[in-house]
Amino acid sequence: MSKSNLAKRASHAGAMITEQRQLVCRIMERSHDHPDAEQVFARARDHDPRISLATVYRTLKTLSDLDLVITHDFGDNRTRYEIKKEDHHDHLICVASGEVIEFRDPELERLKKKIAKRLGYELESHSLELYGRPKS
Amino acid sequence: MSKSNLAKRASHAGAMITEQRQLVCRIMERSHDHPDAEQVFARARDHDPRISLATVYRTLKTLSDLDLVITHDFGDNRTRYEIKKEDHHDHLICVASGEVIEFRDPELERLKKKIAKRLGYELESHSLELYGRPKS
DNA sequence: ATCAATGCAAATTTTTTGCATATCA
DNA sequence: TGATATGCAAAAAATTTGCATTGAT
């Protein structure tokens, strides 16, 4: 049950760890969907009703600046957040249900780096979203 | 100098073509960057100062519903629009300058379809953004 | 003539910010 | 203690919408 301990990593990276940040970190560790700020806020408020939405936004920004959290845009105008894991994965969004499916593909990862290199860039980050319709 | 004639295609797809929509279509045909709604509005207003931002939004929405225009999110909180061409391409965003570079890669296209299929989906659309730092 | 699109301004939605206060190191 | 984070409410920014009017077919 060892958690990734996001808060500890954030602290190690120089961020001050307050009770609220601790809480947001714990929530991000336990969220296996891709919540937006409002959802993180709702979950946080369940544990501590005194936390504010502004703090949630600020904390998520801080974590994402530290590269510990990634942001996504799945086409509905709101930013979704996800804890960054060691292994990169991408997302397929079901156009029928909106469900988000994570997948990994090493060939894809290789190809992305190769393309960036070809264009004269060092790949820093990347995001791929596939939008698909379930094959009955 | 044959244009892609976006307006004609929109009309063919059943959209009513007004002067404003004509104008937005012409602008999208001539824009080779990836403008946001505000930029399209500014360009439109140069030709016809009476057009409104709401109409630009509504027209872009209509065109994108008709699959004649694609939307992008490059990480700054605004939706960017681009006319949809026959051949799919993806984007590399320079993290240093914000510049957006288009690229094409057939292997990538094949791989995307393959992955969707593997997951039990028919690929409907997809977007890949690479964020890279220029190799000095 | 009829139905849909427009303009305008107001309303929503998402995210950010200023400032006085509370909290961490 | 001294610097930084928080909460609150107000501000910004992006996008949508209601409604009276205009315009397309």
Side-chain angles (χ1 to χ4, degrees), chain B residues 51-68:
Chain B
I51 196 169
S52 76
L53 179 56
T55 293
V56 170
Y57 268 110
R58 283 190 276 229
T59 302
L60 290 172
K61 178 86 164 56
T62 299
L63 293 174
S64 117
D65 284 348
L66 293 176
D67 221 39
L68 298 173

Side-chain angles (χ1 to χ4, degrees), chain A residues 1-58:
Chain A
M1 69 143 280
S2 100
K3 292 281 157 41
S4 67
N5 223 333
L6 184 52
K8 194 154 284 174
R9 284 187 290 149
S11 165
H12 193 265
M16 177 188 282
I17 296 307
T18 64
E19 214 177 309
Q20 290 87 333
R21 288 182 172 188
Q22 193 73 252
L23 179 53
V24 169
C25 285
R26 222 164 48 228
I27 284 163
M28 290 312 293
E29 280 169 342
R30 293 173 184 181
S31 293
H32 299 293
D33 49 352
H34 307 76
D36 63 17
E38 204 75 47
Q39 290 175 295
V40 174
F41 175 53
R43 292 170 200 182
R45 200 163 35 174
D46 283 350
H47 293 266
D48 181 353
R50 296 164 321 176
I51 197 170
S52 76
L53 179 57
T55 295
V56 169
Y57 267 110
R58 283 190 276 229

Side-chain angles (χ1 to χ4, degrees), chain A residues 101-124:
Chain A
I101 293 115
E102 299 186 350
F103 67 87
R104 277 149 249 270
D105 190 298
E107 195 181 342
L108 190 55
E109 298 311 308
R110 222 176 323 115
L111 193 49
K112 287 176 184 175
K113 280 199 198 86
K114 195 172 121 190
I115 292 170
K117 192 170 182 178
R118 181 176 87 213
L119 298 170
Y121 286 78
E122 186 77 52
L123 190 57
E124 192 148 285

Side-chain angles (χ1 to χ4, degrees), chain A residues 48-113:
Chain A
D48 181 353
R50 296 164 321 176
I51 197 170
S52 76
L53 179 57
T55 295
V56 169
Y57 267 110
R58 283 190 276 229
T59 302
L60 290 172
K61 179 89 162 56
T62 300
L63 293 174
S64 116
D65 285 349
L66 294 176
D67 220 39
L68 298 174
V69 153
I70 331 176
T71 64
H72 295 291
D73 172 81
F74 293 150
D76 42 8
N77 288 333
R78 60 214 171 98
T79 303
R80 317 281 212 94
Y81 299 86
E82 181 185 16
I83 189 170
K84 185 167 181 179
K85 298 277 180 49
E86 332 67 47
D87 63 327
H88 182 79
H89 61 259
D90 293 293
H91 301 92
L92 183 149
I93 297 97
C94 174
V95 297
S97 69
E99 187 192 0
V100 177
I101 293 115
E102 299 186 350
F103 67 87
R104 277 149 249 270
D105 190 298
E107 195 181 342
L108 190 55
E109 298 311 308
R110 222 176 323 115
L111 193 49
K112 287 176 184 175
K113 280 199 198 86

